[in-house]
């Protein structure tokens, strides 16, 4: 009996142990399943989290080519100003003060007449009848030694012929004739001259007569540069000032007082000389600049003569004007401000510590003038969580160039790629 009872006890104990083992196994399996579920849930959360946006950094200093040099060399004159057709900006000598401009004033007279009575093609325009008062003005100019063109009461002269007499031999009497024909009186015409000056932004100009004979007719080189460019945009004006001579009634053949017009690329425009103004010249001259033929516009006022003769005054004006125009080509050059592929910053993604360069997609170039500063203005923004090789992320603009502000694209020098699985699972 004792042996059987022990056997029965041991069998019961074995059954209990087997039951406990099964329970522990079930617990282990359950715990593992829970752990796997938790890990899977956490991995799911990690894998579905948004990829952070890339970050971008632009250098605070970007090395750029600069024109260098000291700017224009100004001729011997009271003041000067210059510009180049097709290029932004103009330049002037330091101190611009209102000074007498002599017959340079006749540019405004012609500009107003052509604005009120346009000439197209070879048109002569309306005829103007010369009055006895016009003849008396001519005789007075002859007596005073002023520039003139012969007229006779009762004759007729066309608008174009009158403008030729005004602009070529710089006839003072024709300036008065045109003023009265256009506005009814010299005074009314002078009012129009000043109104037009204000409209053009010539704020330091005061006209008191249509010829410039009065020393009280004053302006600056800067203001007259505005006018010469406007006047030369009128075909009839540009055509007349380029003529070496013309033929008109009574006076016959008249010569261009700017005797070098047509030579050395000189297109002409208008000179002015007297003891108060000294040598003055508003000029247009063809020059080759950075390999391209262009028109240089310039104004010199108060070029000092070697003697007080009219020829010496004219020579001083021409010498100063050509010196100004001839100096321009050497001061302007084609330049590459930033070569293609210049690194200007970096872009970084969250899964890599190695930044990717941001570079210029092409060369940033243009015309620069000595003595100016080229300013760079980059603008860029991060493209998001990923990007392709060569993807545009902004642009960089250079200001201070003569061809206007120039911009080129900024691009990535590599692709972002995809974030590794391990980074996505274990990122913070």
């Amino acid at each position: 009996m004792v042996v059987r009872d022990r056997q029965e006890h041991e069998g019961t104990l074995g059954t209990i142990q087997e039951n406990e083992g099964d329970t522990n196994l079930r617990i282990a399996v359950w715990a593992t399943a829970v752990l796997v579920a938790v890990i899977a849930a956490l991995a799911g959360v990690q894998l579905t989290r948004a990829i952070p946006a890339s970050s971008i950094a632009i250098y605070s200093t970007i090395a750029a080519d600069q024109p260098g040099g000291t700017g224009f060399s100004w001729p011997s004159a009271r003041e000067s100003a210059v510009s180049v057709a097709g290029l932004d900006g103009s330049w002037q000598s330091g101190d611009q003060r209102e000074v007498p401009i002599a017959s340079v004033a006749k540019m405004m007279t012609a500009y107003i007449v052509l604005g009120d009575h346009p000439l197209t093609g070879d048109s002569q325009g309306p005829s103007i009848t010369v009055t006895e008062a016009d003849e008396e003005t001519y005789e007075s100019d002859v007596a005073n030694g002023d520039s003139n063109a012969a007229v006779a009461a009762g004759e007729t002269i066309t608008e174009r012929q009158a403008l030729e007499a005004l602009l070529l031999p710089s006839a003072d009497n024709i300036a008065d004739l045109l003023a009265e024909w256009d506005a009814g009186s010299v005074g009314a015409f002078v009012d129009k001259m000043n109104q037009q000056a204000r409209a053009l932004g010539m704020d330091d100009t005061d006209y008191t007569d249509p010829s410039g004979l009065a020393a009280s007719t004053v302006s600056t080189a800067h203001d007259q540069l505005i006018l010469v460019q406007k006047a030369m945009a009128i075909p009839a004006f540009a055509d007349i000032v380029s003529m070496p001579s013309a033929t008109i009634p009574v006076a016959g053949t008249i010569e261009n007082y700017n005797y070098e017009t047509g030579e050395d690329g000189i297109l002409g425009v208008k000179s002015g000389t007297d003891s108060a103004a000294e040598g003055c010249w508003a000029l247009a001259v063809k020059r080759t600049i950075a390999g391209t033929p262009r028109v240089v516009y310039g104004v010199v006022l108060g070029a000092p003569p070697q003697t007080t003769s009219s020829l010496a005054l004219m020579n001083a004006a021409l010498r100063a004007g050509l010196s100004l125009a001839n100096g321009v080509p050497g001061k302007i050059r084609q330049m590459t401000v930033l070569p293609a592929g210049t690194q200007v910053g970096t872009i970084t993604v969250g899964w890599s510590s190695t930044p990717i360069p941001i570079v210029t997609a092409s060369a940033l170039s243009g015309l620069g003038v000595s003595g100016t500063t080229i300013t760079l203005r980059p603008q860029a923004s991060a493209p998001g969580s990923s990007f392709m090789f060569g993807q545009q992320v902004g642009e960089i603009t250079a200001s201070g160039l003569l061809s206007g502000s120039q911009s080129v694209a900024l691009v990535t020098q590599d692709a972002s790629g995809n974030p590794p699985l391990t980074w996505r699972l274990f990122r913070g």
Side-chain angles (χ1 to χ4, degrees):
M1 284 297 292
V2 173
V3 173
R4 189 177 66 186
D5 290 344
R6 181 180 297 166
Q7 290 174 340
E8 290 176 354
H9 175 72
E10 289 175 352
T12 301
L13 181 60
T15 300
I16 292 171
Q17 289 175 341
E18 288 177 2
N19 291 338
E20 288 179 352
D22 291 342
T23 300
N24 289 339
L25 179 60
R26 285 194 295 271
I27 291 173
V29 170
W30 179 84
T32 300
V34 170
L35 180 60
V36 169
V38 170
I39 292 173
L42 292 174
V45 170
Q46 288 289 76
L47 292 175
T48 56
R49 284 176 59 190
I51 304 299
S54 55
S55 60
I56 198 166
I58 300 298
Y59 299 152
S60 58
T61 301
I62 301 171
D65 186 17
Q66 299 287 345
T70 57
F72 291 103
S73 299
W74 300 107
S76 177
R78 290 172 180 167
E79 57 194 59
S80 305
V82 68
S83 65
V84 180
L87 301 182
D88 281 1
S90 63
W91 305 269
Q92 60 191 43
S93 58
D95 194 12
Q96 298 276 305
R97 298 181 179 179
E98 295 182 8
V99 295
I101 61 174
S103 289
V104 171
K106 294 183 176 79
M107 282 199 305
M108 179 62 85
T109 300
Y111 184 75
I112 290 175
V113 169
L114 284 167
D116 292 342
H117 312 277
L119 294 177
T120 58
D122 295 329
S123 171
Q124 288 291 312
S127 294
I128 304 168
T129 300
V130 177
T131 66
E132 290 186 3
D134 294 328
E135 184 175 354
E136 290 173 1
T137 300
Y138 159 66
E139 292 172 349
S140 175
D141 286 346
V142 171
N144 293 329
D146 301 328
S147 300
N148 62 78
V151 294
E155 73 161 305
T156 59
I157 185 171
T158 67
E159 177 189 349
R160 183 180 289 271
Q161 290 169 336
L163 288 169
E164 290 168 351
L166 176 78
L167 295 171
L168 300 186
S170 196
D172 294 328
N173 61 307
I174 299 298
D176 289 345
L177 180 151
L178 283 169
E180 292 176 352
W181 174 69
D182 178 86
S185 70
V186 168
F189 188 82
V190 169
D191 288 342
K192 293 177 71 170
M193 295 175 76
N194 286 305
Q195 290 167 9
Q196 185 65 73
R198 299 293 90 76
L200 293 176
M202 299 167 61
D203 297 328
D204 295 315
T205 296
D206 184 20
Y207 292 104
T208 61
D209 70 331
S211 66
L213 187 60
S216 54
T217 288
V218 294
S219 185
T220 63
H222 168 269
D223 279 9
Q224 292 302 307
L225 183 65
I226 294 173
L227 179 57
V228 70
Q229 294 173 99
K230 291 288 188 180
M232 286 296 284
I234 302 174
F237 181 96
D239 179 58
I240 291 171
V241 298
S242 71
M243 300 170 65
S245 64
T247 301
I248 63 173
V250 181
T253 299
I254 52 176
E255 304 289 339
N256 193 330
Y257 195 55
N258 298 334
Y259 57 84
E260 289 193 356
T261 297
E263 301 178 10
D264 194 21
I266 298 173
L267 303 176
V269 184
K270 192 70 193 76
S271 62
T273 59
D274 61 30
S275 58
E278 297 189 304
C280 303
W281 188 23
L283 57 112
V285 178
K286 281 186 178 179
R287 291 292 181 266
T288 298
I289 298 174
T292 301
R294 296 182 182 273
V295 177
V296 175
Y297 295 108
V299 176
V300 291
L301 301 179
Q306 294 178 342
T307 67
T308 57
S309 69
S310 295
L311 181 59
L313 286 165
M314 186 64 204
N315 287 339
L318 292 172
R319 190 165 52 245
L322 286 175
S323 172
L324 177 61
N326 292 340
V328 172
K331 296 297 183 179
I332 296 174
R333 67 178 177 90
Q334 180 70 34
M335 56 185 298
T336 299
V337 181
L338 293 175
T342 300
Q343 185 171 344
V344 300
T346 58
I347 187 167
T348 306
V349 293
W351 58 86
S352 175
S353 60
T354 303
I356 294 171
I358 296 171
V359 299
T360 52
S362 57
L364 180 55
S365 59
L367 291 175
V369 63
S370 299
T372 61
T373 299
I374 306 301
T375 302
L376 297 176
R377 187 178 69 256
Q379 293 179 312
S381 58
S385 59
S386 64
F387 46 86
M388 303 293 291
F389 168 79
Q391 182 171 327
Q392 183 172 347
V393 294
E395 66 178 14
I396 187 166
T397 302
S399 57
L401 293 169
L402 301 185
S403 44
S405 295
Q406 302 291 312
S407 300
V408 297
L410 297 177
V411 298
T412 57
Q413 205 172 38
D414 202 352
S416 62
N418 296 315
L421 180 61
T422 52
W423 177 86
R424 296 184 66 186
L425 286 173
F426 297 109
R427 57 181 159 152

